[in-house]
Amino acid sequence: MSYQNQSNKDHLDIIIGPPGQEELIDSVHCYAEKHNMNIDEAWSECIRNTADNLMKPNENGFNSFTNLFTDVLGEEVYVEDYFLSHYFGAFSTNGMLMARIKNPEERHKYTAPALNFQSKNLLDGERNPIDIRRFDSTKRQQIQYLITYLLDVSWIHVTISYGFVTMKN
């Protein structure tokens, strides 16, 4: 099955850790208090607002995600859309996978917001969905470094999924 046929199922996730800078942490706390929500919800809203701003066309007519993914892959990539998802209880606040933490006292659950880019919304120069497997481990690491720097967060985890098949009952 070609990647074009998998475009609804193939995706790149950028899982985002907590804010890294004290001023940003204070800002998220103030936002949470002002809007009567918990810290994880406020942080997710901050990530959504930031991602929405990065999706706006800049002076060259492309959005910042388009520029970032084009630079990483070394060819034209047009980012049409993203959606915000969450990883519940999969990561600790320091970015460790919960399953890998053996000592229960060290398991501080974290609801991690994730920017999800489906292959159908990552298009090549001919406007076809790109093969998500082009984001190999080296490319994902580059995205990790760039987004960590851009968002000033404690950690980033970048993963891909392709060929997902829904389980039947």
Side-chain angles (χ1 to χ4, degrees), residues 59-130:
E59 63 277 351
N60 67 7
F62 300 110
N63 65 56
S64 295
F65 287 121
T66 290
N67 292 333
L68 186 143
F69 292 152
T70 294
D71 289 346
V72 167
L73 288 184
E75 70 177 62
E76 290 180 53
V77 177
Y78 298 98
V79 179
E80 299 287 318
D81 202 5
Y82 82 97
F83 66 88
L84 186 71
S85 60
H86 293 86
Y87 282 74
F88 295 99
F91 292 92
S92 69
T93 53
N94 69 359
M96 287 286 297
L97 285 168
M98 293 291 267
R100 293 186 183 163
I101 301 174
K102 297 188 185 338
N103 188 353
E105 293 85 39
E106 295 175 8
R107 294 181 182 205
H108 303 287
K109 289 185 179 179
Y110 172 62
T111 300
L115 302 175
N116 182 286
F117 297 91
Q118 292 180 318
S119 183
K120 70 178 182 179
N121 294 317
L122 297 173
L123 308 175
D124 64 17
E126 297 174 358
R127 298 293 197 187
N128 295 313
I130 64 165

Side-chain angles (χ1 to χ4, degrees), residues 127-144:
R127 298 293 197 187
N128 295 313
I130 64 165
D131 185 348
I132 206 71
R133 291 170 284 192
R134 297 276 320 280
F135 291 102
D136 60 20
S137 61
T138 302
K139 304 280 193 272
R140 292 192 308 267
Q141 190 173 42
Q142 289 173 341
I143 292 169
Q144 176 183 334

